[in-house]
Amino acid sequence: MAHFIFSIPAKVLGQLVGTIPGQLRNYKSNFADLKKKTEKLKLTIEDLQLWVDAAKENGEEIEQSVERWLISANTTVVEAGKLIEDEEKEKKKCLKGLCPNLMNRYQLSKKAAWEVKAIAGLLEEGKFDEVSFCTRPEGILLMCSEGYEAFESRKSILNDALDALSNPNVDVIGLCGVGGIGKTTLAKIVCDQAKKLKVCDEVVFVEVSRTPDVKRIQGDVADQLSLNICEGSESERAMMLCGQLKKGKKILFVLDNIWTSLDLEK
């Protein structure tokens, strides 16, 4: 039997050792990081989901960025879980690491490092200050067909009101009459049609009542437009509300149930 003995220079041996991929050397640490980061991501998802669920119960809309993050994060958790399972299977195949398949380990380690990086990015992106926003309820303007049919005989009044709202030279119109003839219902129909015809972008419908409560009216306007006005005097709140409204869209305000003159600036 012939024996072949090769002499490998130390320099060449050093080069061979040096070419061992970093992912292979970091196999154990990559998977340790992956498991740690995956658990942290799971906790972050759970906390954020609780926040989202609470917001939904309050009737708030969830930010699209939050919904996209949750989908991406949950998908990443599933992918990371499969990769961890693959690593466990690889251990069993090679007698608990005694005879590892270096190529398989290299591929798994490379994927683990990539997942760790992806999870780190998600954890950074998942630091939300807010997850939702308030929406103005539309229900107040929804009219049943019977209510609309009752005003078929008053189409001319409805058309006159819509024409006036479409006129850029008209800022205020009034629907006047004795109590009980349907002014409020007509006003709601006008609002509904104004939005459909794109005469305005938003509608605010506020009841004034016999004894106007200015702060309550200001609050109702702010709530329906999802605006924030801090506590303060009536004049301070009015200035703040006016300033925010000037930045927004074209808004149709309906002040219902007015019994006396009203200071609109106030």
Side-chain angles (χ1 to χ4, degrees), residues 20-79:
I20 295 175
Q23 300 296 357
L24 194 55
R25 292 197 303 269
N26 299 328
Y27 179 82
K28 289 185 178 180
S29 62
N30 282 345
F31 271 96
D33 287 345
L34 178 61
K35 291 173 183 177
K36 184 177 179 181
K37 286 283 197 302
T38 301
E39 288 304 313
K40 187 174 182 180
L41 183 58
K42 286 180 180 178
L43 291 175
T44 302
I45 291 172
E46 289 176 5
D47 290 342
L48 189 62
Q49 190 63 58
L50 288 173
W51 194 2
V52 167
D53 292 342
K56 287 181 177 179
E57 288 179 3
N58 289 330
E60 298 176 4
E61 290 289 331
I62 307 304
E63 296 283 358
Q64 289 187 359
S65 58
V66 174
E67 292 181 332
R68 286 195 296 267
W69 186 91
L70 284 170
I71 292 173
S72 180
N74 280 303
T75 300
T76 300
V77 165
V78 172
E79 292 173 350

Side-chain angles (χ1 to χ4, degrees), residues 100-118:
N101 183 316
L102 297 183
M103 182 56 70
N104 286 351
R105 280 204 166 199
Y106 171 75
Q107 294 295 336
L108 287 172
S109 183
K110 186 177 179 181
K111 291 178 181 179
W114 188 91
E115 286 290 351
V116 167
K117 186 177 180 180

Side-chain angles (χ1 to χ4, degrees), residues 147-247:
Y148 187 79
E149 290 171 359
F151 277 87
E152 284 297 315
S153 61
R154 303 183 189 179
K155 275 188 175 180
S156 61
I157 301 175
L158 173 60
N159 291 333
D160 287 345
L162 292 172
D163 288 342
L165 290 175
S166 302
N167 188 337
N169 297 317
V170 175
D171 294 321
V172 181
I173 64 173
L175 299 176
C176 306
V178 298
I181 64 171
K183 299 184 296 300
T184 297
T185 303
L186 177 58
K188 289 180 179 179
I189 294 173
V190 169
C191 291
D192 189 46
Q193 293 299 306
K195 283 210 70 175
K196 289 180 180 178
L197 297 172
K198 299 188 183 302
V199 174
C200 60
D201 299 310
E202 299 286 349
V203 175
V204 174
F205 202 103
V206 179
E207 182 176 356
V208 176
S209 77
R210 285 179 180 269
T211 54
D213 181 339
V214 175
K215 276 198 171 185
R216 194 264 304 164
I217 295 173
Q218 292 171 334
D220 287 348
V221 171
D223 288 344
Q224 291 187 44
L225 292 173
S226 300
L227 299 176
N228 293 317
I229 54 174
C230 64
E231 290 298 325
S233 65
E234 290 179 358
S235 58
E236 289 173 338
R237 287 161 59 90
M239 291 177 62
M240 188 174 298
L241 190 58
C242 186
Q244 293 191 51
L245 292 176
K246 287 180 179 179
K247 300 176 184 177

Side-chain angles (χ1 to χ4, degrees), residues 83-142:
L83 189 56
I84 292 171
E85 287 180 5
D86 290 342
E87 192 260 346
E88 291 296 327
K89 290 178 182 177
E90 183 62 26
K91 282 182 181 179
K92 294 177 181 179
K93 285 181 181 179
C94 65
L95 301 177
K96 297 184 178 180
L98 295 177
C99 52
N101 183 316
L102 297 183
M103 182 56 70
N104 286 351
R105 280 204 166 199
Y106 171 75
Q107 294 295 336
L108 287 172
S109 183
K110 186 177 179 181
K111 291 178 181 179
W114 188 91
E115 286 290 351
V116 167
K117 186 177 180 180
I119 292 174
L122 282 169
L123 289 171
E124 187 63 30
E125 293 173 6
K127 297 176 181 178
F128 296 101
D129 294 325
E130 298 290 341
V131 300
S132 61
F133 58 92
C134 297
T135 56
R136 181 177 58 82
E138 297 286 348
I140 192 170
L141 299 179
L142 297 178

